[in-house]
Amino acid sequence: MIQQTLILIKPDGVKRGLIGEILKRFEQRGLKIIALKMVQPTKSLAGQHYSESIAEKHGPAVRNYLLDYVTSGPIIAIAVQGADAITIVRKIVGSTYPGESAIGTIRGDYAHASKEYAKKNNQGQNLVHASENEEDAKKELALWFSIDEIHDYKRSDEEYIL
Ligand SMILES: Nc1ncnc2c1ncn2[C@@H]1O[C@H](COP(=O)(O)OP(=O)(O)OP(=O)(O)O)[C@@H](O)[C@H]1O
Ligand SMILES: [Mg+2]
């Protein structure tokens, strides 16, 4: 199924000069970039993105940490489209804690802190966010992009990748 999903290059990815490297991973896999911008997120925007459900999942301290983290500098918001894009993008990104992320994934190639380290130090820098499912993708795309910021065009290699 052709899907659209949201990717954020978090402040650590921007500050470490990894924008090009991260974007390349999605682009070379054949995902079509349909929106792209740099944003300094406000606390309000970050709070809508990482809603109360994050506090239910990880505890309120992690949510507070996350809101500080994602507002600590500019981020790159990206919308991509492609066959099964939501799952494929999550696979390219790798699992939540870089110490457990497979080599070849973004988190597995550019970070290494473990889950234990994240929990002990309240440190969750993992370079990228990617929508988890269709419902979240729809909500998050609408949060970060207006309709007129999302573009439709044909990639020249679509006959080989779709
Ligand atoms: N114990 C922790 N301490 C600090 N930060 C954490 C911790 N656990 C998770 N995080 C941060 O919270 C984010 C959201 O957690 P979630 O469970 O949604 O993981 P994810 O879906 O892999 O990540 P994301 O939603 O950012 O794509 C993680 O990406 C990470 O940055
Ligand atoms: Mg998540």
Side-chain angles (χ1 to χ4, degrees), residues 62-78:
V62 167
R63 180 166 183 260
N64 288 339
Y65 160 80
L66 251 180
L67 300 191
D68 285 343
Y69 165 33
V70 296
T71 57
S72 66
I75 58 102
I76 305 292
I78 307 151

Side-chain angles (χ1 to χ4, degrees), residues 24-141:
K24 185 181 84 177
R25 305 269 176 133
F26 302 109
E27 212 177 15
Q28 73 186 6
R29 191 79 192 264
L31 292 155
K32 190 192 303 189
I33 294 168
I34 55 170
L36 181 68
K37 65 181 174 186
M38 184 175 257
V39 186
Q40 171 58 60
T42 59
K43 274 269 156 71
S44 154
L45 181 59
Q48 289 175 74
H49 178 81
Y50 287 121
S51 65
E52 285 299 334
S53 61
I54 276 285
E56 282 157 30
K57 185 173 176 188
H58 294 295
V62 167
R63 180 166 183 260
N64 288 339
Y65 160 80
L66 251 180
L67 300 191
D68 285 343
Y69 165 33
V70 296
T71 57
S72 66
I75 58 102
I76 305 292
I78 307 151
V80 298
Q81 177 177 302
D84 305 319
I86 295 169
T87 307
I88 297 297
V89 165
R90 296 273 295 183
K91 281 189 180 165
I92 295 169
V93 168
S95 56
T96 305
Y97 304 100
E100 295 165 2
S101 308
I103 301 300
T105 64
I106 293 167
R107 288 169 175 166
D109 285 352
Y110 296 106
H112 68 271
S114 64
K115 184 175 188 171
E116 290 65 39
Y117 186 86
K119 291 207 158 145
K120 197 163 163 225
N121 298 285
N122 207 22
Q123 203 283 65
Q125 295 189 71
N126 57 9
L127 300 163
V128 189
H129 160 80
S131 308
E132 208 162 321
N133 53 46
E134 271 185 74
E135 191 191 335
D136 284 0
K138 209 167 170 225
K139 244 189 284 176
E140 292 172 5
L141 285 167

